[in-house]
């Protein structure tokens, strides 16, 4: 396993070494070109929209014969992408998660995008908000476009909450009582009264631990310090947050335990923490639902943002064409279309009225309090250089926590013992 992780962690570095071997020219090729872009989603609505935009680009650029979107499994997305890179099968464009942004941006693997985007007709580069760009910049250049800036919220199955005899989360929020105590109490009641899962942290599944930042940030906890050098898992705020979470899982049954999955979108859970890109799954929902901001924690209200950047691989023989397509994909008109799933960094589009035009399933109020306000105040999920090895180390060190009777402070202390040498690299 250590050898495999080392290979994955090194893949981006290998690509950087090969970055100068062809590709990355400023000239857009005139000959026949086919582009491939890796993405995490296989959602039909997402893919349909991507393909429509790609077809419009191809209609204006006859030399581009095909643009394909390669959906990779979410749980192994970055591993698969870096394996493709190491194996000489890198895509032309790639969706990059925020947790691996530092590795990709610092590696030299990506083509700088500034010049292409600024020169694109009607692009309005100045419309891009500075804050969302920060993670994707180095030495004054933008190496990936933060295509998706999506705050996490809580989707609520109003029917199950009602069957559990609990006040609606919307009413609690209106009364200033929507906090983690109330949310976990509601989740526990749903499980006790209906037999359904209470609260599901989507895509966590006791593996993707960084999704738990949607909870612990409410306590002011951090996985590591802002400079990335000091472990935060053993700090009092994290110990308190994880103690509350452990009790919610193993004593109160507010969250399903290890190995017990439940899909909110098919009616199997009272609540789920996820992003608005999943709202499309509720198009034909057979239950009443709502969307709320994350509950307040001991440190008050907060928001957590998941970002996805799209970059052009420098070693692609069609890098210039790929960058040109990226400029088309993210221009004002197409950003407005894509905003129904992926909130863009464009200030002109980051208002409830504009977003509501392409998000018919969500109300302007939901979009304002979860998306617009969340982007304005939120922190990005944990990210660090050497993320592949670091993430696996955290996951393995946290495993003893996910059983009844676990000593929370002891486990979290051992997490820090494990990852401190990695943070120092």
């Amino acid at each position: 396993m250590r050898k495999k992780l080392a290979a994955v962690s090194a893949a981006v570095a290998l690509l950087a070494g090969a970055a100068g071997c062809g590709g990355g020219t400023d000239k857009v090729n005139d000959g026949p070109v086919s582009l491939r872009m890796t993405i995490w989603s296989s959602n039909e609505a997402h893919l349909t929209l991507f393909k429509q935009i790609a077809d419009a680009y191809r209609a204006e650029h006859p030399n581009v014969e095909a643009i394909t979107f390669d959906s990779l499994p979410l749980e192994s997305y970055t591993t698969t992408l870096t394996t493709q890179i190491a194996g000489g099968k890198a895509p032309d464009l790639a969706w990059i998660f925020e947790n691996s942004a530092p590795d990709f941006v610092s590696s030299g693997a990506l083509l700088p995008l500034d010049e292409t985007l600024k020169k694109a007709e009607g692009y309005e580069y100045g419309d891009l908000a500075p804050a969302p760009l920060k993670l994707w910049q180095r030495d004054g250049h933008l190496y990936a476009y933060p295509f998706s800036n999506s705050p996490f919220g809580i989707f609520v199955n109003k029917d199950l909450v009602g069957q559990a005899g609990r006040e609606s989360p919307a009413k609690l929020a209106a009364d200033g009582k929507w906090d983690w105590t109330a949310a976990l109490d509601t989740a526990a009641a749903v499980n006790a009264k209906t037999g359904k899962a209470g609260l599901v942290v989507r895509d966590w599944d006791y593996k993707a631990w960084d999704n738990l930042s949607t909870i612990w940030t409410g306590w002011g906890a951090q996985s590591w310090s802002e400079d990335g050098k000091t472990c935060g898992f053993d700090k009092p705020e994290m110990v308190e947050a994880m103690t509350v979470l452990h009790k919610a899982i193993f004593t109160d049954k507010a969250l399903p335990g290890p190995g017990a999955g439940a899909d909110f979108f098919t009616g199997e859970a009272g609540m789920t923490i996820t992003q608005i890109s999943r709202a499309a799954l509720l198009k034909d929902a057979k239950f009443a639902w709502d969307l709320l901001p994350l509950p307040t924690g001991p440190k008050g209200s907060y928001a957590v943002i998941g970002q996805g950047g799209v970059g052009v691989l420098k070693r692609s023989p069609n890098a210039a064409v790929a960058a040109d397509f990226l400029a088309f994909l993210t221009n004002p008109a197409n950003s407005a279309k894509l905003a129904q799933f992926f909130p863009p960094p464009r200030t002109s589009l980051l208002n409830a009225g504009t977003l509501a035009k392409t998000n018919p399933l969500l109300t302007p109020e939901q979009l304002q309090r979860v998306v617009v306000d969340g982007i304005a105040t939120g922190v990005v999920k944990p990210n660090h250089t050497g993320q592949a090895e670091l993430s696996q180390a955290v996951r393995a060190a946290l495993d003893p926590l996910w059983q009844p009777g676990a000593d929370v402070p002891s486990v979290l202390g051992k997490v820090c013992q494990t990852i401190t040498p990695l943070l120092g690299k």
Side-chain angles (χ1 to χ4, degrees), residues 223-232 235 383-384 416 419-425:
S223 50
W224 39 73
S225 58
E226 293 292 340
D227 63 10
K229 297 179 180 179
T230 304
C231 180
K235 300 297 186 287
N383 56 84
H384 202 285
C416 282
I419 71 170
T420 293
L422 300 176
L423 295 176
K425 286 186 177 181

Side-chain angles (χ1 to χ4, degrees), residues 269-291:
M271 296 180 284
T272 189
I273 299 175
T274 191
Q275 296 157 293
I276 68 159
S277 58
R278 305 302 178 101
L281 298 173
L282 290 167
K283 182 178 180 181
D284 299 315
K286 294 179 172 53
F287 55 87
W289 58 273
D290 201 354
L291 173 63

